[in-house]
Amino acid sequence: MEMLSVSASTIAFSEQDHQLEKLEFALALAVSEGCHDKAHHLRSCIEALGDHGEEPGT
């Protein structure tokens, strides 16, 4: 059986992408529900994490 080698930076990048995707989903919900304060907070979190300019899952 062959083991796949994955670097720690690849795992960290993947985790960051996953966290970004969750924040973007929460933002979409907050906007659709009219929660402006929550949406503002989530946008700040997304900016702090760093938006790669890509759609989630691409």
Side-chain angles (χ1 to χ4, degrees), residues 31-45:
V31 168
S32 70
E33 294 173 350
C35 300
H36 302 291
D37 292 337
K38 188 173 185 176
H40 178 72
H41 172 72
L42 290 166
R43 282 187 184 104
S44 296
C45 292

Side-chain angles (χ1 to χ4, degrees), residues 1-13:
M1 182 163 92
E2 189 175 326
M3 296 295 291
L4 179 63
S5 176
V6 179
S7 69
S9 63
T10 301
I11 292 171
F13 186 73

Side-chain angles (χ1 to χ4, degrees), residues 17 54-58:
D17 281 351
E54 295 180 0
E55 290 293 319
T58 59

Side-chain angles (χ1 to χ4, degrees), residues 6-20 49 52:
V6 179
S7 69
S9 63
T10 301
I11 292 171
F13 186 73
S14 177
E15 289 297 320
Q16 183 179 3
D17 281 351
H18 182 68
Q19 185 65 28
L20 184 60
L49 194 57
H52 302 296

